[in-house]
mmCIF file of all heavy atoms in Angstrom:
data_model
loop_
_atom_site.group_PDB
_atom_site.id
_atom_site.type_symbol
_atom_site.label_atom_id
_atom_site.label_comp_id
_atom_site.label_asym_id
_atom_site.label_seq_id
_atom_site.Cartn_x
_atom_site.Cartn_y
_atom_site.Cartn_z
ATOM 1 N N LEU K 345 2.719 -16.494 -6.595
ATOM 2 C CA LEU K 345 2.194 -15.301 -7.280
ATOM 3 C C LEU K 345 3.122 -14.842 -8.407
ATOM 4 O O LEU K 345 2.835 -13.859 -9.093
ATOM 5 C CB LEU K 345 2.064 -14.135 -6.275
ATOM 6 C CG LEU K 345 1.002 -14.236 -5.182
ATOM 7 C CD1 LEU K 345 1.188 -13.105 -4.151
ATOM 8 C CD2 LEU K 345 -0.396 -14.163 -5.776
ATOM 9 N N GLU K 346 4.258 -15.518 -8.519
ATOM 10 C CA GLU K 346 5.319 -15.122 -9.469
ATOM 11 C C GLU K 346 5.937 -13.774 -9.074
ATOM 12 O O GLU K 346 6.363 -12.987 -9.923
ATOM 13 C CB GLU K 346 4.798 -15.085 -10.913
ATOM 14 C CG GLU K 346 4.367 -16.465 -11.392
ATOM 15 C CD GLU K 346 3.530 -16.436 -12.667
ATOM 16 O OE1 GLU K 346 3.607 -15.451 -13.412
ATOM 17 O OE2 GLU K 346 2.795 -17.420 -12.892
ATOM 18 N N VAL K 347 5.926 -13.513 -7.783
ATOM 19 C CA VAL K 347 6.563 -12.305 -7.243
ATOM 20 C C VAL K 347 7.887 -12.762 -6.619
ATOM 21 O O VAL K 347 7.876 -13.589 -5.700
ATOM 22 C CB VAL K 347 5.661 -11.635 -6.178
ATOM 23 C CG1 VAL K 347 6.386 -10.502 -5.484
ATOM 24 C CG2 VAL K 347 4.369 -11.130 -6.821
ATOM 25 N N PRO K 348 9.032 -12.276 -7.120
ATOM 26 C CA PRO K 348 10.327 -12.772 -6.611
ATOM 27 C C PRO K 348 10.554 -12.452 -5.130
ATOM 28 O O PRO K 348 10.071 -11.432 -4.635
ATOM 29 C CB PRO K 348 11.362 -12.025 -7.465
ATOM 30 C CG PRO K 348 10.613 -11.494 -8.641
ATOM 31 C CD PRO K 348 9.194 -11.309 -8.211
ATOM 32 N N VAL K 349 11.298 -13.339 -4.458
ATOM 33 C CA VAL K 349 11.601 -13.138 -3.039
ATOM 34 C C VAL K 349 13.090 -12.886 -2.805
ATOM 35 O O VAL K 349 13.567 -12.908 -1.685
ATOM 36 C CB VAL K 349 11.129 -14.328 -2.185
ATOM 37 C CG1 VAL K 349 9.619 -14.406 -2.164
ATOM 38 C CG2 VAL K 349 11.720 -15.640 -2.686
ATOM 39 N N ARG K 350 13.802 -12.685 -3.905
ATOM 40 C CA ARG K 350 15.221 -12.313 -3.780
ATOM 41 C C ARG K 350 15.483 -11.088 -4.622
ATOM 42 O O ARG K 350 14.929 -10.947 -5.718
ATOM 43 C CB ARG K 350 16.111 -13.443 -4.311
ATOM 44 C CG ARG K 350 16.397 -14.491 -3.274
ATOM 45 C CD ARG K 350 17.311 -15.559 -3.847
ATOM 46 N NE ARG K 350 17.625 -16.549 -2.823
ATOM 47 C CZ ARG K 350 18.645 -16.449 -1.982
ATOM 48 N NH1 ARG K 350 19.472 -15.445 -2.054
ATOM 49 N NH2 ARG K 350 18.862 -17.386 -1.074
ATOM 50 N N LEU K 351 16.360 -10.251 -4.128
ATOM 51 C CA LEU K 351 16.762 -9.086 -4.922
ATOM 52 C C LEU K 351 17.567 -9.548 -6.124
ATOM 53 O O LEU K 351 18.360 -10.492 -6.025
ATOM 54 C CB LEU K 351 17.638 -8.163 -4.076
ATOM 55 C CG LEU K 351 16.927 -7.164 -3.181
ATOM 56 C CD1 LEU K 351 17.926 -6.524 -2.224
ATOM 57 C CD2 LEU K 351 16.206 -6.103 -3.991
ATOM 58 N N ASP K 352 17.380 -8.858 -7.228
ATOM 59 C CA ASP K 352 18.134 -9.172 -8.443
ATOM 60 C C ASP K 352 19.480 -8.416 -8.384
ATOM 61 O O ASP K 352 19.497 -7.183 -8.403
ATOM 62 C CB ASP K 352 17.287 -8.705 -9.644
ATOM 63 C CG ASP K 352 18.026 -8.842 -10.959
ATOM 64 O OD1 ASP K 352 19.196 -9.277 -10.946
ATOM 65 O OD2 ASP K 352 17.421 -8.501 -11.998
ATOM 66 N N PRO K 353 20.608 -9.150 -8.308
ATOM 67 C CA PRO K 353 21.912 -8.468 -8.172
ATOM 68 C C PRO K 353 22.256 -7.598 -9.384
ATOM 69 O O PRO K 353 23.052 -6.676 -9.279
ATOM 70 C CB PRO K 353 22.916 -9.605 -8.017
ATOM 71 C CG PRO K 353 22.168 -10.872 -8.121
ATOM 72 C CD PRO K 353 20.718 -10.598 -8.324
ATOM 73 N N GLU K 354 21.633 -7.903 -10.519
ATOM 74 C CA GLU K 354 21.908 -7.047 -11.692
ATOM 75 C C GLU K 354 21.214 -5.709 -11.564
ATOM 76 O O GLU K 354 21.670 -4.697 -12.094
ATOM 77 C CB GLU K 354 21.472 -7.755 -12.976
ATOM 78 C CG GLU K 354 22.381 -8.908 -13.253
ATOM 79 C CD GLU K 354 22.208 -9.489 -14.636
ATOM 80 O OE1 GLU K 354 21.532 -8.877 -15.481
ATOM 81 O OE2 GLU K 354 22.753 -10.575 -14.844
ATOM 82 N N LEU K 355 20.102 -5.708 -10.851
ATOM 83 C CA LEU K 355 19.363 -4.451 -10.638
ATOM 84 C C LEU K 355 19.939 -3.715 -9.422
ATOM 85 O O LEU K 355 20.215 -2.518 -9.466
ATOM 86 C CB LEU K 355 17.878 -4.774 -10.408
ATOM 87 C CG LEU K 355 16.950 -3.595 -10.198
ATOM 88 C CD1 LEU K 355 16.817 -2.801 -11.493
ATOM 89 C CD2 LEU K 355 15.568 -4.075 -9.752
ATOM 90 N N VAL K 356 20.097 -4.454 -8.344
ATOM 91 C CA VAL K 356 20.620 -3.828 -7.126
ATOM 92 C C VAL K 356 22.113 -4.150 -7.032
ATOM 93 O O VAL K 356 22.550 -5.072 -6.337
ATOM 94 C CB VAL K 356 19.826 -4.284 -5.886
ATOM 95 C CG1 VAL K 356 20.346 -3.609 -4.615
ATOM 96 C CG2 VAL K 356 18.349 -3.941 -6.063
#
Side-chain angles (χ1 to χ4, degrees):
L345 291 170
E346 296 166 22
V347 172
V349 292
R350 274 182 178 272
L351 275 169
D352 174 359
E354 290 192 11
L355 181 69
V356 181

